[in-house]
Amino acid sequence: GSADCVFFIPEGFEGDLVAAARAGESLPKLDVTYGAGTMAAALSSAEASRWISLAGAAAALEPTASNGDVAKAAEHAAAKRAEVEIEQVKVDSTAAATLESYFNFGAYAIISSVIVSVGLVFSGMNEPERVRRMDAGPISERRRSLAVFAAAAVITVCIWFVSSMMGVVGFAGAVAEVGVGRVCLALAATFALACTPLAVGFALSSLGAREELLNGVGNLLGMLMTFLGGAWMPLSLMGSAVQTVAHFVPTYWVNDAIGKALASDLTSTVLGDIACDLGVTVLFAAAIAAVGLALSRAKSRA
């Protein structure tokens, strides 16, 4: 325990070092014994290895230089250090991780609830007897469809609001540490996600799905999407095939946006990445809604 590190330098080491460097061979190494302070010993050993490499480079670059000149050149090079700046992150990592975990897992509640609730609204309004009664009324089919969709959108907003506010109120301390602006960006991501189950509910109702099927699809899709989004287990721990499939579900992009919004500096680049994630998420909803609209039109023509 009297020394952190002891180096054993064999006789003639300097000559062997210079000769090996100028001959293009591997440089000789020192034998090292660590003391009680392993961290300090490791740093000392790394510093010695760096000096040997610099001395070898100096000997190879100056073939006629003496051993003393090689040592001086190595010492001069070793004295140079790169400038290092420490950037203090303002966001508390624990608070950000707490909110990110809640929003990621909260996606399951939003997806399953919206699919079931919205699907029941659309399927109920598509009942043949109810459709016949509404066709006999003065309201046009287009206006009636827009009103039903608006009602479904209101239900979606209510579900998103309740689910989100539970996290905001329950983790008010974390919200205060992270910042309201960052949390609002995360909430925007969850709102973009809510558009996807809205479109799924509409598409399922166009196929004539009833409550049992809506419940099953809502729960199954909610668990699957949150899993592929990385809520249950980090995607880095999964296989490459799962990571590739994850890119084809909106929760992957939403969780990526939430993570960047809560834990990254909101530079223009980061904001651009978040906007891209939200855009991809909305495109998922638009594509599914287009399929549902096509199914609905084909069913009405039939």
Side-chain angles (χ1 to χ4, degrees), residues 117-280:
S117 302
V118 168
L120 289 175
V121 171
F122 282 122
S123 62
M125 297 303 294
N126 288 334
E127 291 288 345
E129 187 62 30
R130 184 173 287 110
V131 171
R132 282 195 294 268
R133 290 200 302 268
M134 289 188 297
D135 287 341
I139 301 177
S140 64
E141 181 181 357
R142 180 180 180 182
R143 185 177 176 185
R144 185 173 66 246
S145 299
L146 290 175
V148 174
F149 189 84
V154 170
I155 294 175
T156 301
V157 172
C158 291
I159 293 173
W160 163 81
F161 181 80
V162 171
S163 176
S164 301
M165 288 304 104
M166 287 178 63
V168 171
V169 174
F171 301 104
V175 173
E177 293 183 21
V178 172
V180 177
R182 295 174 180 272
V183 175
C184 288
L185 281 176
L187 292 176
T190 59
F191 181 76
L193 174 65
C195 297
T196 296
L198 171 61
V200 172
F202 171 66
L204 289 175
S205 64
S206 301
L207 293 172
R210 292 294 181 263
E211 183 176 358
E212 294 79 8
L213 180 59
L214 291 170
N215 272 302
V217 173
N219 283 280
L220 181 61
L221 199 59
M223 287 190 291
L224 179 62
M225 290 176 65
T226 51
F227 172 77
L228 292 175
W232 303 95
M233 182 185 298
L235 287 175
S236 58
L237 301 179
M238 302 181 190
S240 57
V242 177
Q243 295 181 22
T244 302
V245 174
H247 288 73
F248 294 92
V249 294
T251 45
Y252 170 86
W253 304 95
V254 170
N255 292 353
D256 183 67
I258 291 174
K260 290 177 179 177
L262 295 178
S264 303
D265 291 331
L266 298 181
T267 62
S268 58
T269 302
V270 173
L271 291 175
D273 292 340
I274 294 175
C276 181
D277 290 338
L278 299 186
V280 173

Side-chain angles (χ1 to χ4, degrees), residues 18-118:
V18 172
R22 289 173 177 169
E25 301 174 354
S26 298
L27 301 179
K29 296 181 180 180
L30 294 177
D31 291 330
V32 184
T33 298
Y34 286 6
T38 55
M39 184 60 70
L43 292 175
S44 299
S45 178
E47 190 72 12
S49 298
R50 177 173 176 268
W51 193 95
I52 292 173
S53 298
L54 293 173
L61 291 174
E62 297 292 340
T64 60
S66 64
N67 291 356
D69 293 336
V70 169
K72 289 180 181 179
E75 291 174 1
H76 177 72
K80 296 182 179 180
R81 292 290 187 272
E83 295 183 1
V84 179
E85 295 182 359
I86 299 176
E87 181 179 356
Q88 184 176 2
V89 180
K90 298 180 180 179
V91 178
D92 182 77
S93 58
T94 304
T98 300
L99 291 174
E100 183 179 359
S101 178
Y102 176 81
F103 289 135
N104 290 349
F105 278 102
Y108 169 76
I110 293 176
I111 293 171
S112 58
S113 300
V114 171
I115 288 178
V116 175
S117 302
V118 168

